[in-house]
Amino acid sequence: MVKGGLLKDDADWATLGVKEGQKLMMMGTADEIVKAPEKGPVFMEDLPEEEQVVAVGHTAGLFNLGNTCYMNSTIQCLHSVPELKSALLKYPSEKRNDLDQTSHMLTAATRELFNELDKSVKPVAPMQFWMVLRKKYPQFGQLHNGVFMQQDAEECWTQLLYTLSQSLRSSSPSENLDTTKALFGIELVSRIHCQESGEESSETESVYSLKCHISQEVNHLHEGLKHGLKSELEKASPSLGRSAIYLKESRINALPRYLTVQFVRFFWKRESNQKAKILRKVDYPLELDIYDFCSDDLRKKLEAPRQILRDAEGKKLGLKANEKSSGSKDNDIKMTDAEGSSNGSGECFKATSKEGGSSDKESHLTGIYDLVAVLTHKGRSADSGHYVAWVKQENGKWIEYDDDNPIPQREEDITKLSGGGDWHMAYICMYKARAVPM
């Protein structure tokens, strides 16, 4: 109000003659006074460390203790496997009678390091793990001019998995549960044939990785795997009474939850008496289908789950499901990442709910795998250079773990680590099985 009159919203202030210091009376209805928030703003650095890890979206990096990038990158890749973490959490603090002391110590150190990584956003120093690793496998403690030497990440990966396969195995003969084999073990059935004598035999073996052999003809992972499943060996022929060349052709007979592929990039160069590196570019996919490399028996087991997967993907695209496939007519089948253990045949996993109870449906593997980790090497020799881990997080984002420095990356950049120069190139790829409930 001004001079006893009410001002309207569209009043012309220029005609009012308002003077400096003049009083205006304001009238209106008071709104509810805004209450102060019950909880004030919390800054991320004030959160407990475990909550900070969730907020950041990835776990901690690892300090390099002196040429230990081979070890750090191996740990970061294996740490991304939740089923392995769960098995380690159940591992007892007391040593089993059938296990040697150093294997027990290395398994316990792995468990403690995994726990530390999960609870920390600041880089972790893996000192205890490294000390025990060198005690169990003295080759990782080699010195040159008083400095610890660079080692092969694939050798570290293989030795650590071998130790875990011993310690995470059930001590009860009735259970026959081998967690490491269920998660990473690949069963190969091989035909060994001698053209000269006509002799033929077969053998079954369990390995923890497929080899991608690199030659002038290999441009893609599929071609390298095909080469890796064929080999020549010289051995004594009973019928010829002398040595002969045998051709060994292998097929996958049982699948793991996590499929590991090693690119055979290093070889021994006699001229220089050192390990040399094949720099050739070999492309690898984000989605790997290994059906073509499976035995006839395994292919039959994979048919039904693969049909369910095709129907589910077709349904997303609005296509009609295959009427012959069972179980997919009425239900909307979802792909699952259910935790579980192999039943020995490698194609079936018991699905478990988040609460820990067993579900009614079993989760069956399809032979299709999704890339979840890449371990790369940069440099010209296995005895030098630098190893880095590139790991897919649960939220779907990729993180490059360059020792103590985690760096977010785009998925499209992960497949560019295929070689062909001096940049980081894939040395080990880890794929996670795509499964369907049946």
Side-chain angles (χ1 to χ4, degrees):
M1 295 181 70
V2 59
K3 290 185 182 176
L6 281 170
L7 284 177
K8 293 186 179 176
D9 290 345
D10 57 352
D12 185 359
W13 283 80
T15 62
L16 296 175
V18 179
K19 296 171 186 174
E20 190 177 341
Q22 185 174 344
K23 288 184 180 178
L24 302 175
M25 183 183 288
M26 311 297 290
M27 297 179 72
T29 308
D31 285 337
E32 186 182 345
I33 297 171
V34 179
K35 292 177 183 175
E38 290 179 18
K39 288 183 180 177
V42 180
F43 297 99
M44 198 169 81
E45 54 267 29
D46 298 328
L47 289 168
E49 281 230 50
E50 288 181 48
E51 289 182 36
Q52 284 187 45
V53 173
V54 176
V56 169
H58 61 79
T59 51
L62 288 161
F63 282 117
N64 193 319
L65 305 175
N67 282 333
T68 58
C69 57
Y70 70 92
M71 180 186 81
N72 290 351
S73 52
T74 295
I75 290 165
Q76 291 290 10
C77 289
L78 293 176
H79 173 249
S80 71
V81 178
E83 297 93 331
L84 183 60
K85 285 197 272 191
S86 298
L88 283 166
L89 281 172
K90 295 171 190 168
Y91 182 72
S93 298
E94 302 80 33
K95 185 182 84 69
R96 285 202 331 243
N97 294 330
D98 61 336
L99 195 66
D100 65 278
Q101 183 65 26
T102 51
S103 293
H104 168 71
M105 287 167 67
L106 184 55
T107 305
T110 307
R111 179 190 62 201
E112 296 312 310
L113 183 53
F114 278 15
N115 285 344
E116 216 175 332
L117 286 173
D118 279 334
K119 292 174 182 174
S120 179
V121 283
K122 293 168 187 167
V124 171
M127 186 60 76
Q128 179 65 26
F129 178 89
W130 190 40
M131 286 168 60
V132 179
L133 180 71
R134 282 179 289 150
K135 193 169 185 178
K136 174 69 181 170
Y137 299 108
Q139 69 264 38
F140 297 120
Q142 287 177 310
L143 292 167
H144 180 68
N145 295 332
V147 178
F148 284 103
M149 291 171 63
Q150 176 71 285
Q151 299 292 334
D152 190 335
E154 190 273 332
E155 192 177 345
C156 180
W157 184 300
T158 303
Q159 299 287 40
L160 182 55
L161 277 190
Y162 175 75
T163 301
L164 295 178
S165 73
Q166 302 298 304
S167 51
L168 298 180
R169 184 182 292 161
S170 172
S171 55
S172 167
S174 58
E175 284 186 38
N176 193 27
L177 181 67
D178 187 340
T179 303
T180 312
K181 188 178 177 183
L183 291 175
F184 303 101
I186 306 156
E187 188 183 287
L188 295 177
V189 60
S190 304
R191 172 180 172 260
I192 301 162
H193 176 72
C194 178
Q195 280 189 319
E196 202 178 344
S197 66
E199 291 168 272
E200 195 171 298
S201 62
S202 64
E203 66 177 33
T204 303
E205 60 183 318
S206 188
V207 296
Y208 285 125
S209 66
L210 293 179
K211 306 294 181 190
C212 173
H213 282 268
I214 303 170
S215 65
Q216 291 299 319
E217 301 83 48
V218 173
N219 297 303
H220 193 274
L221 176 61
H222 255 84
E223 296 161 339
L225 289 175
K226 198 174 178 181
H227 280 270
L229 291 170
K230 283 184 182 179
S231 60
E232 280 189 352
L233 51 118
E234 188 178 341
K235 64 174 189 168
S237 165
S239 62
L240 295 173
R242 57 175 170 80
S243 288
I245 300 294
Y246 286 77
L247 179 66
K248 182 179 178 181
E249 295 181 273
S250 303
R251 290 277 170 189
I252 300 168
N253 205 40
L255 294 171
R257 193 78 180 90
Y258 291 85
L259 183 75
T260 306
V261 176
Q262 183 215 343
F263 292 80
V264 186
R265 288 201 173 273
F266 297 109
F267 67 99
W268 190 259
K269 210 170 186 178
R270 286 181 186 173
E271 310 91 80
S272 56
N273 206 30
Q274 64 178 16
K275 268 186 182 177
K277 185 177 178 183
I278 302 168
L279 301 175
R280 184 177 177 82
K281 183 183 179 188
V282 180
D283 290 319
Y284 55 91
L286 290 169
E287 180 188 300
L288 177 66
D289 188 350
I290 49 87
Y291 181 82
D292 292 344
F293 306 120
C294 296
S295 65
D296 291 339
D297 286 349
L298 183 53
R299 285 185 187 186
K300 285 173 189 171
K301 292 172 184 173
L302 292 175
E303 277 303 334
R306 287 169 74 86
Q307 186 58 57
I308 287 174
L309 185 60
R310 282 193 290 268
D311 288 347
E313 289 175 347
K315 198 169 184 181
K316 284 181 191 172
L317 299 169
L319 303 175
K320 195 176 180 183
N322 187 335
E323 290 179 5
K324 290 180 184 177
S325 71
S326 59
S328 59
K329 290 179 189 174
D330 306 314
N331 301 321
D332 185 17
I333 304 296
K334 293 179 183 175
M335 282 176 284
T336 177
D337 283 332
E339 284 188 29
S341 59
S342 171
N343 65 351
S345 63
E347 80 283 351
C348 169
F349 287 78
K350 266 282 186 185
T352 53
S353 66
K354 286 184 181 176
E355 289 75 25
S358 181
S359 79
D360 295 327
K361 292 183 179 180
E362 285 182 346
S363 180
H364 285 245
L365 302 189
T366 59
I368 295 170
Y369 287 79
D370 295 300
L371 187 68
V372 289
V374 182
L375 190 153
T376 60
H377 179 265
K378 183 182 181 183
R380 297 263 166 171
S381 165
D383 300 325
S384 61
H386 186 51
Y387 289 101
V388 166
W390 313 67
V391 181
K392 192 174 186 178
Q393 309 300 299
E394 287 184 9
N395 59 15
K397 293 181 179 172
W398 283 85
I399 298 292
E400 173 193 353
Y401 287 98
D402 188 351
D403 285 329
D404 57 324
N405 187 23
I407 310 158
Q409 295 290 346
R410 298 178 306 169
E411 188 169 66
E412 54 264 36
D413 291 331
I414 302 303
T415 51
K416 292 175 184 174
L417 306 165
S418 50
D422 285 332
W423 179 236
H424 283 284
M425 58 188 75
Y427 184 35
I428 298 172
C429 282
M430 187 169 74
Y431 287 86
K432 185 177 185 179
R434 204 182 290 182
V436 292
M438 290 181 70

